Amino acid sequence: MRVAVLVLDGVFDSGLAALLDIVHCANTLRTRLPQPPPTWQLTTVGFTRTVRTGAGHRVTAAPVAQAEECDLLLIPGVAERRPDELVAHLSGPRTAPARELIARARARRTPIATACAGSFLLAEAGVLDGLRATTTWWLAPLFRRRYPRVTLDQRQMVTSCDGITTAGAAFGHIDLGLTLIRRRSPALSDLVANYLVIDERPSQAAHTMPGTLAACDPTVAAFEHWARAHLDQPLSVKDAAAAIGVSERTLQRTTRSVLGLSPVRFVQDLRVEQATHLLRTTDQTIETIARRVGYESANTLRVLLRDRTGKSATQHRPS
């Protein structure tokens, strides 16, 4: 498989390195399998001979024309962490050639893969319209607002839809690399993961910070403040809406448009966050913690913790 790795100025150093290391490791280990898959032929391409990474390192790139005949276009995300600057950069004239390259690859039905903020570049190129995609959790509200034609799916670390693969937050590049290997050989993917000591991370949910997401919108921020003050009580969306001065319908609509969640689901996330904190920092029983975060039954909290974080209540306790 001929893989063109497109590097742009400001590329996320660890993301680029992770993808290259995982594929190179797969090429090295493939001969240990009884029926090894073909090698991956990696070519790092760019619009200039030398590309400067987000941390200021220099990467030598082959001419970008080599990407026109690739079997997979792989695009590491850029390292910009300021939302406004990220959008300005990826929608501006400097990245217009990259967007055109992506559009041409899509027109040829060449598979495309990216991670983290790279999903924004694909969306700006128009190739994600009508498809499912994911991105880093803290940029999700901005992504939903800017690209309403894209279905943002935060349930999985890696999402594939109609030939385009996207992965979550910055180190989602690791998950993306393993996913690409797994498609050719699940056994080789397992071998690479074991050699590099990579744990499976099916979702970003355990790392999502509800308060950070809520701050993106004043209505949701007010709802979060109210919910935290009433976390030990049964949730009434009607009472919450009245308390922050909006209609129940507006609260429902706003939380879904900003967070992709219902108000009930968002409050569940707040309860999981608080319960996790109490499990880590106190010796209170799970029954006591459950009541403090609004559940009469400790078992309800146990199920929720397992569902949202992938860990039991006991596993959240300090060792």
Side-chain angles (χ1 to χ4, degrees), residues 99-172:
R99 299 194 301 272
E100 293 166 4
L101 174 69
I102 292 167
R104 290 196 301 274
R106 181 60 176 166
R108 294 192 304 269
R109 303 300 294 179
T110 299
I112 303 172
T114 191
C116 195
S119 300
F120 279 75
L121 181 60
L122 267 58
E124 288 293 336
V127 303
L128 291 181
D129 287 355
L131 303 182
R132 286 183 299 106
T134 193
T135 190
T136 182
W137 66 265
W138 58 274
L139 287 173
L142 173 61
F143 192 97
R144 287 190 180 90
R145 287 199 305 271
R146 188 167 180 85
Y147 312 115
R149 291 205 230 167
V150 184
T151 300
L152 190 63
D153 186 350
Q154 295 291 95
R155 297 171 298 175
Q156 302 178 71
M157 183 66 77
V158 181
T159 297
S160 296
C161 185
D162 195 27
I164 296 183
T165 304
T166 54
F171 285 100

Side-chain angles (χ1 to χ4, degrees), residues 21 41 51 65 101 114 155 175 187 215 221 226 239 246 271-272 297:
D21 284 342
Q41 299 175 7
V51 176
L101 174 69
T114 191
R155 297 171 298 175
D175 306 271
W226 180 91
D239 290 348
V246 298
R271 287 171 167 162
V272 166
S297 169

Side-chain angles (χ1 to χ4, degrees), residues 10-27:
V11 64
F12 179 54
D13 294 65
S14 295
L16 172 61
L19 289 170
L20 296 179
D21 284 342
I22 286 173
V23 176
H24 284 308
C25 185
N27 279 337

Side-chain angles (χ1 to χ4, degrees), residues 207-248:
H207 306 280
T208 300
M209 300 168 63
T212 301
L213 298 178
C216 297
D217 179 270
T219 296
V220 181
F223 175 51
E224 182 217 4
H225 181 76
W226 180 91
R228 287 190 185 278
H230 299 81
L231 212 57
D232 60 341
Q233 303 169 23
L235 172 64
S236 167
V237 177
K238 180 179 179 180
D239 290 348
I244 64 176
V246 298
S247 69
E248 184 176 355

